[in-house]
Structures are given as structure tokens and as C-alpha cells.
Amino acid sequence: MAYQPNLWLIHDVDRRAVAAARQFSGYTILLRPTRRHILRQFQLPQDQYIPEFFQLCLAVLAKEADPDKKPCMVIETDTISAPMRQLYDDSGILWVSITQEQNRYVLRGTHGGTTLQVEERTGSLFKVLAAPLAWSERNVSFSQGSYVQSYSERVLREAVQILSPSYRIECHHQVPLSRVIGYKSGLSAEEQRLLGTEIDAVITQSFDADPEGAVILPVKLDLHDSHRQNPTVMARDERIRELCHRYEVPLLTVGIAEDGAYEFDCPVLSLPKGTADGQVPNAWAAVLAPLLGAAIRYAGRSF
């Protein structure tokens, strides 16, 4: 059986929300990120434990010009618990929930003691999302956390943008491994825990090219010293690679070779390792190009 990539947008309300969010000029949408990076400290208050905090939302909107991709607004389409909603409100996070209720779409959100509810019956959610986003644009709410965690991620993102006109691709950040691999039965308890590990970046095709949001190329940046010197981190890295290889997921690992060059390795695609000198977007784009071409074909898509 041919490889089947995991799909991120399989429900109508998810696709409509993403289609609307993409229309805002000056913003970019990051799909399926872990919620914890919405907060400045990436962690819960000391006396709280909310499992959903370590899981994913549908999307966040960030300013295109912001190199750190601080979330301006969080978009939820799954039901979230009262403690998670309270955490958003207590932390001053601008967030909205969109649900489909019979023949209408309903947006609900609270911020700073203000409750907003907007209903839409035509199916176009642009106006629905424009109302709460105005609070951010008028500095009623402020971004806190960030989704681009390192200079290397910035370089990768710029390289993807260089290639985007040819490959119609987008880059998303801090996505849990569960959304890279998809649902799999028979995993051990250790492997189940591993699914919460965040992958630095995941490349998909643009919504116009692929409205299902298929995972094309997950990218793991193993560039910090801990990936070569910390036995715990190194063992976790190896388990992630093994799990992806078992399910034929084309995980691209970027590491540092002995000569100091940046080494790009994706065994599932059966291509030679690529190397780039330094962290230069154009150099990374040149190495990524054949990998992306192979990954798009491997996922059964076209460009």
C-alpha cells in the first residue's frame, strides 16, 4: 500500500476557518501548533496541570514580519475544557472558538472581561474572524509567546519562502509528533508519550494547492549541543527517528557534520545526504529543493 500522509484539515469548519484566516494581509497562519508556546514562559502556573496545554489547537495567526511568530490570535475548533478557557482568559490571550451549529457557524471568545459572539450563515468566516482580530490591531490585546524558537528555524522558514513560488509550500512550527505521524494503533506506553514531542517545523503545501493540509516534510533541527552531548536527548532523538522510519514518514533531520557543515538527511526518501555551509537561506533552499520535490511526490501530491 502506498504511503498515506497525515492530513490536518479534514473537517469543513477547519477548512473554512483556515481559508478565512489566510485572507488577512500582513499575517501568516501556523497550523496545528502546541498550545504551550502561546504563553511567554511556555509553562503552566505552578499550581495548575491542564493536559490540553501540551496539546494542539487548530491554528494561530502571527504577523508575517515578526521573526519570532508571536501569536496574535488563537483559533480553536475543538471543544476545550473550562480550565483551558480560564487559562486563556487569566493570561490575557486573545482566542476564539468556532463551531458549526446546524446551518450556521458561531464564533465565541472572551478577553479582558468582554465576551464576543458572532454568527455566520453564508459559510464565509472572514468577517467572523475580523471582529476579534481588530482587538489585537488596536492594541487591546498583546502577543506573549513565540513559535519560532531559534535562528535556525528562521533560516529554514526563509528557505521555504524562497522555494514557495515553485513548490507552493508553507512552514509551520512546534507541531506535536502525533500530528506528523497520525493515529497509529499498538504503540507502547513510551511511544505514546513520545507523540507529545514537538517537531521544530513541518512543511505542507499551501491551502490553495492542498486544502487537506497533508504533511509533506517534517523537519527536526538537531543543532543544539544537547543533540550531540546529552545522552537523554540523543536517545529521544533516536526513538523519534525510529518511529517515523517504522511508519515510513519522511522525517528530515538537520544536524552538524564533522567538518562543521549543516547536514540534511531523510533516509525514507532514499536521496543522498545534502550539506550546506553556514546558516544561509539560499544555501538551505538549494539543499531542500530536491528533498521537497521527492517528498511531494512521495505524499502523492503535485507541484
Side-chain angles (χ1 to χ4, degrees):
M1 182 180 295
Y3 168 72
Q4 297 294 321
N6 193 36
L7 306 179
W8 285 0
L9 302 173
I10 58 176
H11 299 298
D12 176 71
V13 66
D14 295 342
R15 292 180 185 174
R16 289 181 185 274
V18 170
R22 294 179 70 253
Q23 297 179 53
F24 292 103
S25 178
Y27 290 88
T28 188
I29 185 168
L30 305 179
L31 296 178
R32 302 301 184 184
T34 303
R35 292 187 181 100
R36 73 185 186 99
H37 295 282
I38 293 165
L39 296 187
R40 183 175 292 108
Q41 300 301 324
F42 308 154
Q43 60 187 10
L44 288 167
Q46 191 170 3
D47 59 342
Q48 294 186 32
Y49 178 67
I50 306 173
E52 290 162 291
F53 181 69
F54 303 98
Q55 298 168 8
L56 50 81
C57 60
L58 172 67
V60 299
L61 270 177
K63 290 287 184 66
E64 182 61 55
D66 176 15
D68 299 319
K69 295 299 176 281
K70 295 182 287 291
C72 299
M73 184 168 71
V74 182
I75 303 173
E76 301 274 9
T77 52
D78 292 332
T79 301
I80 58 174
S81 67
M84 189 67 226
R85 295 196 301 270
Q86 192 64 51
L87 177 65
Y88 277 155
D89 295 342
D90 291 345
S91 305
I93 301 300
L94 179 58
W95 71 282
V96 297
S97 171
I98 302 175
T99 56
Q100 185 174 1
E101 301 175 11
Q102 296 180 342
N103 64 339
R104 61 191 177 129
Y105 297 87
V106 182
L107 176 144
R108 297 181 178 90
T110 60
H111 184 271
T114 302
T115 298
L116 175 70
Q117 179 168 321
V118 185
E119 297 184 6
E120 166 60 45
R121 295 182 183 275
T122 68
S124 174
L125 302 184
F126 179 76
K127 289 188 294 184
V128 168
L129 288 173
L133 188 59
W135 294 353
S136 174
E137 294 180 338
R138 287 163 174 75
N139 296 323
V140 176
S141 69
F142 299 92
S143 303
Q144 298 180 28
S146 64
Y147 276 95
V148 172
Q149 302 292 307
S150 66
Y151 181 73
S152 301
E153 283 185 49
R154 294 182 189 176
V155 173
L156 175 65
R157 187 172 183 85
E158 289 184 41
V160 169
Q161 290 172 331
I162 290 170
L163 296 171
S164 185
S166 299
Y167 293 90
R168 300 186 295 173
I169 50 176
E170 298 175 347
C171 193
H172 311 279
H173 302 270
Q174 314 310 327
V175 177
L177 181 61
S178 61
R179 278 291 174 162
V180 170
I181 291 180
Y183 172 77
K184 296 291 184 289
S185 61
L187 296 180
S188 67
E190 180 184 10
E191 290 168 339
Q192 289 283 357
R193 290 191 294 270
L194 199 63
L195 294 181
T197 305
E198 293 161 3
I199 300 301
D200 300 290
V202 177
I203 299 172
T204 67
Q205 290 192 290
S206 68
F207 183 78
D208 292 337
D210 179 16
E212 292 182 318
V215 170
I216 297 298
L217 190 66
V219 184
K220 194 170 182 302
L221 300 172
D222 292 351
L223 301 175
H224 190 271
D225 289 345
S226 61
H227 294 286
R228 299 182 300 280
Q229 300 173 6
N230 186 313
T232 301
V233 174
M234 294 167 65
R236 184 192 61 196
D237 291 342
E238 182 62 26
R239 291 196 301 272
I240 291 173
R241 289 192 292 268
E242 289 176 352
L243 193 59
C244 288
H245 192 271
R246 184 196 310 170
Y247 293 106
E248 301 180 311
V249 174
L251 176 68
L252 171 62
T253 301
V254 182
I256 299 179
E258 293 183 1
D259 61 0
Y262 291 84
E263 186 175 76
F264 294 67
D265 186 23
C266 186
V268 169
L269 295 180
S270 301
L271 292 178
K273 294 180 181 180
T275 58
D277 293 327
Q279 299 193 60
V280 181
N282 281 313
W284 282 37
V287 178
L288 280 172
L291 291 163
L292 278 166
I296 290 171
R297 290 188 292 269
Y298 184 71
R301 268 56 184 175
S302 60
F303 56 91

